[in-house]
Amino acid sequence: MSTELPPVAPEVLAEAVENLTARLRKKLDAATEGCAAGAVLEADGTVTLRFGEDALVTLRPGPAGTITTADQATCSCLLAPRCLHRAAALGAAPLADTPPEPAAEPEPGPAGDPTAAAADPTGSTEPAASAAPAGPVGATVPATPALTAAQLRAAGALWHVAAEALAAGVTAGGAVVQAELLRAAHTARLAGLIRAEAAALRVVRGLRAAREHRAGQRLGDLTDAFRELLHTAGLLAAGSADPALTGTARRAYAPGGSLQVYGLCREPVLSATGYGGVVTHLLAADGTPYSVSDVRPGGLARARGAGSASVALGGATLDHAGLARGGLRIVGATVSPEGRLGAGRGVRATPLPGSAWTEQPAARLFARPAAEAVAALLADPDAAESTLLGCDVTVVGAVGEHLLVRETRPDAPLLRLLPAHPHPELAHTENLRRIASYPGLQLRVLGRPDLDRTATLRPVAVGPVPSAEHTLRLPEEWLGRADLGYDRLQGAHFPQGAAAPVPLPAAEGPDPLADSPLWRVRRLLETGVAGGRRAVAEAARGTESLAGASYAPLRRAGLTAAAELAAALAAEADRRPRDVFGRLADPSPDGYAWAWLAAATHLAAAERCLIAASWAASPSAVPVSGR
């Protein structure tokens, strides 16, 4: 059994690669591949990796289990620390998140969110530029306050390396390209451009996963990550100081006064970087959402156990299971902009009796059609990740990986339910599979809409529909809801006998996103991410020209702008002017990156429109008898 390498801070890896000579950089990818298999965990907690007889790399993680400084990674060879062995060992280790702050601190950051951890900006006293320097070619400077000179330089550097990484693609996006992104990301963080840094780290992790062919890695996710990075870096480099683009290094907790909050549900949190825990969702009497989280290193074991762990908030005696079905009266509350409740020394909390979903404030979540709620979320995508949507549905049955349900409203569409977290050791998948075996069952569902899929909801909790006959029969102590990540539904929780006939479609029904010819644009963009600029150029020169007949379906469907942007991207990818000596006359990747970003931005907007329509459309159905 191989030893896992400790996570490494991005700036430590970037510095190690930067110190290599050009000759050693060419060998870095080969040296990194497979070197982690020989890692050995020593008795003192260090991890060693041997490269031949004369080179032994030693990694000494700090108290948090992370390599955060250069002197925590050493090599015994003569070239150390500027050696290939040390850089390869660091490159094989996972990238570290900035750890979430402890729940007991006065101003804890949102657990598990790398963009929320504290940073140490430079605090530059340089005056803001009176006129922002020109950004990348094609950018338009918005009429917003100017950034500092340091921020403009950092954003411009990040744009350049992001454009280079896009032109290289996954096939050529090895350790050197990743290290350049990490270096630019660290510089952006020091300049206070927190959102840009987070976007760059997401791209690096996506490149690593794609090159290592990890299970669950989707090229579409990496495509979206590149779009976010180029969009953010491009606008910042052009001089936009929109706070939504710069981000915040620390989500400050403000005084919230006295609050009364009531539990909605709890859900497990499990990140790919080894953090695990729970978040409990709450509502105030006026309907304002809040949450209490407990996420720390520990992975799956902690995600499963944290659901019954004590709530570290103002001396409250509740655990998360009790809080999800109870309430709190809080004095001296501290609240983050995202609604997370802080656990400062001045906070005092006492338990309150819980409130059922049929009572206020929870009842208002189920009062409006799902289509209206989703339309509001699509107008503010940044809020969608933490917003829960409620609706009453009738179970139709399982089709493929989906559980199909229909909202209990006239002309309501079919909705697709997918597990909020697909890990087999969590209860989501098993619970949805059991629900699927009861067509005609009526449910009250609380979940998070998946805005990347057609009419898809990822439920975190379910309950019985008031006054419905064929609905769940939950224990009284569950207070009318089951947390799908922790509570396991059993046969006794379901009604006996057959339900009334339900309209069961012969198939899932039309999918406006999958059936749209926009897939041709997405395929072109993903081709560029996978194979780089050269792959897009070769596709444009293929037998089925991407700039010609292949885009006729787009134009026939009225998607003329999409067709023109895709054709422009293909043409730009193939534009490589050379001088009389055969050298590239314009080696800059800026033009290609802007063409790719324009097509990607248009595609994202078009897909969002189709997804919004899918929540309002009602596909035809054929009535059949349910169970």
Side-chain angles (χ1 to χ4, degrees):
M1 180 177 178
S2 60
T3 297
E4 292 187 3
L5 298 181
V8 173
E11 61 271 18
V12 174
L13 173 58
E15 182 182 13
V17 176
E18 186 178 25
N19 288 336
L20 296 179
T21 64
R23 180 180 65 84
L24 291 179
R25 290 187 184 189
K26 295 179 180 178
K27 300 180 179 181
L28 182 56
D29 286 331
T32 301
E33 185 177 355
C35 73
V40 177
L41 178 63
E42 305 294 345
D44 60 355
T46 62
V47 176
T48 59
L49 299 90
R50 182 165 292 282
F51 293 81
E53 296 182 358
D54 301 325
L56 181 69
V57 175
T58 303
L59 303 179
R60 298 181 176 86
T66 303
I67 303 295
T68 56
T69 60
D71 58 6
Q72 290 176 310
T74 60
C75 182
S76 61
C77 77
L78 296 177
L79 292 179
R82 301 173 180 269
C83 65
L84 180 64
H85 316 112
R86 180 174 174 273
L90 292 173
L95 286 180
D97 285 330
T98 302
E101 299 179 33
E105 289 296 318
E107 295 181 354
D113 184 354
T115 66
D120 184 21
T122 57
S124 173
T125 57
E126 297 179 17
S130 57
V137 177
T140 300
V141 180
T144 54
L147 299 171
T148 67
Q151 289 175 321
L152 288 169
R153 288 195 298 269
L158 184 56
W159 162 268
H160 178 72
V161 296
E164 292 280 5
L166 177 69
V170 172
T171 55
V176 174
V177 171
Q178 295 169 27
E180 291 173 351
L181 278 169
L182 293 177
R183 169 62 70 185
H186 182 59
T187 302
R189 183 177 186 85
L190 293 178
L193 305 179
I194 306 305
R195 178 172 174 176
E197 185 225 17
L201 293 181
R202 184 183 170 200
V203 167
V204 172
R205 291 191 173 98
L207 285 172
R208 284 186 163 201
R211 289 176 62 85
E212 296 169 7
H213 305 288
R214 295 180 192 169
Q217 166 62 24
R218 295 176 60 248
L219 189 58
D221 293 338
L222 182 54
T223 302
D224 293 342
F226 263 112
R227 173 173 54 82
E228 167 70 11
L229 174 57
L230 290 169
H231 170 79
T232 304
L235 288 181
L236 288 171
S240 173
D242 186 344
L245 291 173
T246 55
T248 55
R250 184 189 184 101
R251 289 180 169 91
Y253 278 61
S258 297
L259 295 174
Q260 290 190 39
V261 293
Y262 300 92
L264 276 177
C265 61
R266 62 194 160 134
E267 63 172 316
V269 176
L270 182 61
S271 78
T273 53
Y275 287 91
V278 64
V279 59
T280 297
H281 300 278
L282 311 164
L283 275 183
D286 61 357
T288 303
Y290 294 96
S291 64
V292 174
S293 63
D294 180 8
V295 182
R296 301 175 187 175
L300 176 63
R302 193 166 200 290
R304 296 173 65 180
S308 56
S310 297
V311 176
L313 182 66
T317 57
L318 288 174
D319 58 19
H320 280 273
L323 180 57
R325 295 181 173 93
L328 286 176
R329 178 181 287 110
I330 307 173
V331 178
T334 57
V335 187
S336 79
E338 297 77 22
R340 293 184 184 269
L341 296 175
R345 288 184 293 272
V347 178
R348 296 292 180 267
T350 55
L352 290 175
S355 173
W357 282 1
T358 55
E359 303 170 359
Q360 297 296 352
R364 64 170 53 96
L365 290 175
F366 305 91
R368 64 173 175 171
E372 292 183 11
V374 170
L377 292 178
L378 287 169
D380 184 14
D382 289 339
E385 293 184 2
S386 59
T387 301
L388 297 179
L389 176 153
C391 58
D392 293 346
V393 302
T394 300
V395 174
V396 175
V399 176
E401 63 175 348
H402 303 126
L403 168 58
L404 297 185
V405 299
R406 191 183 298 279
E407 193 176 2
T408 55
R409 295 178 182 273
D411 300 321
L414 280 174
L415 304 182
R416 299 160 172 85
L417 302 189
L418 286 176
H421 201 295
H423 197 288
E425 294 298 322
L426 298 176
H428 297 97
T429 302
E430 179 185 341
N431 281 330
L432 288 185
R433 187 180 297 118
R434 186 174 288 272
I435 291 172
S437 63
Y438 289 85
L441 180 72
Q442 291 186 291
L443 289 174
R444 177 156 279 190
V445 177
L446 190 65
R448 190 172 291 105
D450 187 338
L451 300 184
D452 293 326
R453 296 173 181 259
T454 300
T456 300
L457 187 66
R458 295 186 180 270
V460 297
V462 296
V465 174
S467 72
E469 179 180 353
H470 200 73
T471 188
L472 290 175
R473 306 285 190 263
L474 299 179
E476 183 177 350
E477 60 269 21
W478 286 15
L479 203 63
R481 64 260 205 177
D483 299 329
L484 294 178
Y486 289 107
D487 301 321
R488 294 187 181 270
L489 296 174
Q490 306 296 330
H493 299 148
F494 292 89
Q496 302 301 314
V502 295
L504 180 67
E508 281 193 56
D511 186 334
L513 186 58
D515 297 341
S516 167
L518 285 172
W519 65 266
R520 298 169 184 271
V521 182
R522 178 161 285 279
R523 183 179 67 177
L524 177 65
L525 295 171
E526 292 181 355
T527 296
V529 170
R533 178 174 183 165
R534 179 178 298 179
V536 175
E538 290 176 353
R541 294 192 297 266
T543 55
E544 184 184 9
S545 172
L546 290 175
S550 132
Y551 289 149
L554 286 167
R555 294 188 171 90
R556 287 196 298 268
L559 301 170
T560 306
E564 292 177 353
L565 289 170
L569 171 59
E572 179 63 30
D574 201 28
R575 189 185 68 83
R576 307 285 279 178
R578 297 181 181 274
D579 60 19
V580 294
F581 299 104
R583 297 171 299 191
L584 285 176
D586 181 16
S588 172
D590 281 0
Y592 171 75
W594 277 112
W596 187 95
L597 179 58
T601 302
H602 181 274
L603 175 66
E607 289 181 338
R608 283 294 174 94
C609 290
L610 293 174
I611 289 170
S614 73
W615 284 85
S618 178
S620 59
V622 180
V624 298
S625 296
R627 174 173 172 176

